[in-house]
Amino acid sequence: MRNSVLALCAAAIAIPAFAAEIPLAERRSGYDFMSRETRTMQDDDTANPGMLWVLDGEALWKRKAGVADRACQDCHGDAGTSMKGVAARYPAFDAAHGRPVNLEQRVNACRVDRQKAPPLAHESRDLLALTAYVGRQSRGLPVAVPIDERTKPFLDAGRGTFFRRQGQLNLSCAQCHDDNWGKRLAGSVIPQGHPTGYPLYRLEWQGVGSLQRRLRNCIVGMRAQPYDFGAGEFVDLELYLMWRARGMKVETPGVRP
Amino acid sequence: MRRIVVAALVCVAANAAGEDSIPSSLTGAKGDPVRGRAIVTNRQVGLCLLCHSGPFPEERVQGDLAPPLNGAGRRLSEGELRLRIADSARINPASIMPAYFRTEGLTRVAPAFEGKPVLSAEQIEDVVAFLKTLNE
């Protein structure tokens, strides 16, 4: 009897159902895994290609749009003041939708409801420019998504997705980014997967993209069915990833290989 | 052809009892080690070198998430290799290694891959035959 109990315990230790989350003190930005050249590119505003999107976003911020003929600036004033720290708190709960929305959805809600303009398409130049500009106002500030009784169920759903094995290759996010970060998947070092620099310039894309675009890359690699841009599952996963990166510094616009 | 695959799937399922190997060939025939090597080193087909390294001097980038393939043929029998490729979860349910010959129990598989194993029975036999040649 005792032997069989011991054997069961040994089996339970050998095969944990869930891998452990990375201890707070051991978390590292993807920035830390990059070459010196790529880090310099991110740090130097004159070399960071993402700054071109930020500059476009600044122009859009000031440009009147829609039937209401209003610019973002007409309501929000100087983004340097009004948008400081905002991106660090997204996805944030939205009462109208009864769920958290990400920054892209917030920008589009403003466009439709306030500017009376059509929403910007996912991954369009203008939406990336505006979110890069708003995100830039939080650079250096700690990620701080507020978790309360309204957002907790969505955080838990996002955590569920992170640990769920998916696709023909039957992989979960956690298996690479919690359990095997720092090791090499073919030639690339696996980062911990903290979304601190989005939207960011990816050398592989030769352009700026959102976190959801990056997540779709991984999901396609798992040979799983990608979530649609803006899907609830995706926003929940974003929320979990931002909570997982709580306290880490916003790097927008980041640069990644 | 379909009958062979069904028979092979039954063979894999029969292994759920916890045996450590699939003793007989999934196709009834021996694999071709030359084709097996090509599958192992192809990052779109075998995917092996994403996680494993091995004696492939021409392959510049190899992964280190999983043990090197060097000596696999010495450490494991043909049947043990076959089971580990077909469905490594039978050895360790928490293993990161995909099941190359299981189409059940998967979630949100992309439509292009729905109902298809990662490798065919023939390809798995080729890989087994190649790995058996890795003696050091």
Side-chain angles (χ1 to χ4, degrees), chain A residues 14-16 164-171 175-176 180 182-187 190 220 223-227 233, chain B residues 43-44 47 49-51 61-65 92-96 98 102 106-111 113 116-118:
Chain A
I15 308 164
R164 186 175 306 125
R165 297 180 74 148
Q166 297 194 40
Q168 190 199 37
L169 300 185
N170 203 25
L171 297 168
Q175 284 182 304
C176 277
N180 284 294
K183 293 186 184 166
R184 282 181 181 278
L185 184 69
I190 298 176
V220 167
R223 299 186 176 176
Q225 190 174 349
Y227 304 103
E233 291 99 327
Chain B
R43 257 180 281 161
Q44 277 78 47
L47 315 164
L49 300 189
L50 294 180
C51 295
V61 289
Q62 306 185 15
D64 66 359
L65 267 67
N92 172 11
S95 172
I96 193 171
R102 171 159 61 88
L106 303 175
T107 308
R108 290 187 66 84
V109 176
F113 299 102
K116 297 175 188 158
V118 180

Side-chain angles (χ1 to χ4, degrees), chain A residues 169-226:
Chain A
L169 300 185
N170 203 25
L171 297 168
S172 72
C173 310
Q175 284 182 304
C176 277
H177 299 289
D178 275 351
D179 302 350
N180 284 294
W181 62 267
K183 293 186 184 166
R184 282 181 181 278
L185 184 69
S188 315
V189 176
I190 298 176
Q192 294 180 351
H194 299 298
T196 45
Y198 287 90
L200 57 72
Y201 186 90
R202 199 169 179 217
L203 299 174
E204 191 182 311
W205 293 334
Q206 295 285 299
V208 165
S210 72
L211 173 57
Q212 293 198 356
R213 180 176 177 193
R214 182 65 191 82
L215 292 172
R216 285 171 70 102
N217 289 170
C218 266
I219 291 171
V220 167
M222 293 149 77
R223 299 186 176 176
Q225 190 174 349

Side-chain angles (χ1 to χ4, degrees), chain A residues 71-201:
Chain A
C72 309
Q73 184 173 253
D74 293 338
C75 290
H76 295 287
D78 174 32
T81 312
S82 65
M83 291 296 119
K84 192 173 177 182
V86 168
R89 298 195 294 268
Y90 269 77
F93 191 81
D94 179 65
H97 291 87
R99 65 159 3 272
V101 297
N102 64 17
L103 198 56
E104 288 84 354
Q105 292 170 317
R106 165 55 62 215
V107 167
N108 268 333
C110 251
R111 273 187 65 86
V112 172
D113 299 340
R114 310 289 176 199
Q115 294 179 302
K116 309 292 180 196
L120 299 169
H122 295 290
E123 303 306 300
S124 62
R125 174 91 187 185
D126 283 1
L127 188 54
L128 291 167
L130 273 170
T131 50
Y133 179 61
V134 171
R136 176 71 176 81
Q137 312 310 318
S138 295
R139 203 181 223 199
L141 296 175
V143 171
V145 283
I147 300 300
D148 54 29
E149 71 277 5
R150 294 177 310 175
T151 49
K152 180 74 164 44
F154 301 97
L155 175 73
D156 291 342
R159 181 193 279 114
T161 298
F162 189 82
F163 284 96
R164 186 175 306 125
R165 297 180 74 148
Q166 297 194 40
Q168 190 199 37
L169 300 185
N170 203 25
L171 297 168
S172 72
C173 310
Q175 284 182 304
C176 277
H177 299 289
D178 275 351
D179 302 350
N180 284 294
W181 62 267
K183 293 186 184 166
R184 282 181 181 278
L185 184 69
S188 315
V189 176
I190 298 176
Q192 294 180 351
H194 299 298
T196 45
Y198 287 90
L200 57 72
Y201 186 90

